[in-house]
Amino acid sequence: MVDWHMATVAEIHDETDTARSLRLKIADWPGQLSGQHLDIRVTAPDGYQASREYSIASGASTDKDALVEVSIEELADGELSPYLVRGVEVGDQLEVRGPVGGYFVWRPEQTEPVQLIAGGSGVVPLMSMLRTHAAAGHPTPMRLLYSVRAPQFVFYMDELMKLAEDSNDTVMLDYAYTREAPNGWARSVGRLTRDEIVELSLPPSANPMTYICGPNSFVESIAMWLVELGHPADRVRTERFGGA
Ligand SMILES: Cc1cc2nc3c(=O)[nH]c(=O)nc-3n(C[C@H](O)[C@H](O)[C@H](O)COP(=O)(O)OP(=O)(O)OC[C@H]3O[C@@H](n4cnc5c(N)ncnc54)[C@H](O)[C@@H]3O)c2cc1C
């Protein structure tokens, strides 16, 4: 049984109009690996409690005093995310449990090329992997394919660009917009297809480890295509955020 820790909201950063990052100071936090998540629990004045899982965006760390970042997309009809995106203020306290997960994890000791594939807020644990990769000055190629509704919904936009620029060509970014693309963008808007996965991801011959994260149907389609294309199933790791 893992204990709940008190977390104080130390910093808030708007990622988009409907999402924001909370940087938490968590009491007795043991640190985290890239790809792990935590549970956030909120208690209403009448005692009603709700908890949800959120991936950790911060890179891997063993520093007990480091702030831990989560990035939350508001689901307009959701129970908890509207409060976490609109209601929480700096200084507020939340309860947190974790870190959770040992499979959907990237460790700097891994030496194979890495393909990351994100759908919407599924970019969060993949950002942790990119941050860990950058902090280690890791020589392994790490390629991110980020499917997102429109440019204004991209999380971490400036930081992603800088990570790629500073990476000595080890980090590559590909964006696929599903509803609206920047002017002059070559790709038509729409959901990723199997053919685009061939074009925009590392091939089986590169023997990559692939991490896919996003809504259920996004993850299921892409994982199925990768296996059909010849990637061994145990080299395709998935994290599902729920939803359709
Ligand atoms: C391991 C894990 C990590 C996660 N990490 C993140 C994260 O980093 N950032 C983040 O914003 N969310 C993340 N989620 C999703 C998060 O846990 C909540 O499900 C989400 O915030 C909605 O909670 P809610 O209480 O607002 O909505 P609820 O009241 O729980 O649900 C409202 C409706 O939205 C649907 N729904 C739930 N989740 C999603 C989704 N992700 N996409 C589309 N529809 C959905 C439900 O099926 C339901 O119909 C993660 C989920 C898991 C399992």
Side-chain angles (χ1 to χ4, degrees):
M1 186 63 192
V2 186
D3 291 336
W4 291 94
H5 303 253
M6 284 314 295
T8 305
V9 179
E11 296 172 13
I12 295 176
H13 170 72
D14 288 334
E15 294 296 343
T16 72
D17 285 351
T18 55
R20 67 182 186 175
S21 291
L22 307 180
R23 297 192 186 113
L24 306 173
K25 177 84 189 79
I26 308 176
D28 304 317
W29 184 251
Q32 69 277 338
L33 301 170
S34 282
Q36 288 188 306
H37 63 273
L38 49 72
D39 298 333
I40 295 182
R41 181 167 74 178
V42 173
T43 306
D46 66 0
Y48 173 75
Q49 291 187 319
S51 67
R52 296 290 183 276
E53 295 154 286
Y54 292 99
S55 294
I56 299 169
S58 315
S61 173
T62 52
D63 178 356
K64 292 180 190 307
D65 294 322
L67 298 182
V68 178
E69 182 178 287
V70 290
S71 303
I72 300 159
E73 174 86 50
E74 178 182 17
L75 296 183
D77 61 344
E79 184 179 47
L80 204 52
S81 61
Y83 169 69
L84 295 172
V85 173
R86 309 226 171 254
V88 166
E89 293 175 10
V90 168
D92 284 355
Q93 294 206 309
L94 304 165
E95 285 179 289
V96 159
R97 186 170 64 181
V100 183
Y103 178 71
F104 193 82
V105 158
W106 180 76
R107 294 177 169 83
E109 301 85 77
Q110 291 175 223
T111 53
E112 68 281 328
V114 182
Q115 177 68 56
L116 309 173
I117 305 181
S121 56
V123 73
V124 177
L126 310 184
M127 187 64 184
S128 172
M129 296 176 191
L130 284 159
R131 285 171 167 166
T132 301
H133 180 271
H138 208 285
T140 298
M142 194 174 259
R143 184 171 182 178
L144 171 67
L145 171 55
Y146 186 179
S147 170
V148 59
R149 274 177 283 172
Q152 65 269 28
F153 292 104
V154 171
F155 286 18
Y156 321 118
M157 185 182 267
D158 294 343
E159 189 181 345
L160 280 171
M161 206 184 305
K162 187 155 180 8
L163 281 178
E165 278 169 11
D166 295 349
S167 73
N168 277 331
D169 294 331
T170 55
V171 171
M172 269 186 73
L173 305 178
D174 299 289
Y175 291 91
Y177 298 100
T178 56
R179 295 201 198 145
E180 186 190 323
N183 284 337
W185 194 255
R187 176 185 179 272
S188 322
V189 293
R191 291 187 172 191
L192 282 166
T193 64
R194 190 178 188 276
D195 287 347
E196 286 177 314
I197 293 296
V198 174
E199 190 190 326
L200 298 173
S201 66
L202 297 170
S205 59
N207 201 24
M209 185 65 86
T210 301
Y211 297 84
I212 314 169
C213 186
N216 289 343
S217 58
F218 174 89
V219 171
E220 273 158 32
S221 303
I222 291 176
M224 185 184 72
W225 292 333
L226 288 170
V227 172
E228 284 172 7
L229 290 166
H231 292 267
D234 64 352
R235 296 185 75 79
V236 178
R237 302 204 171 174
T238 58
E239 182 89 289
R240 293 166 170 79
F241 273 11

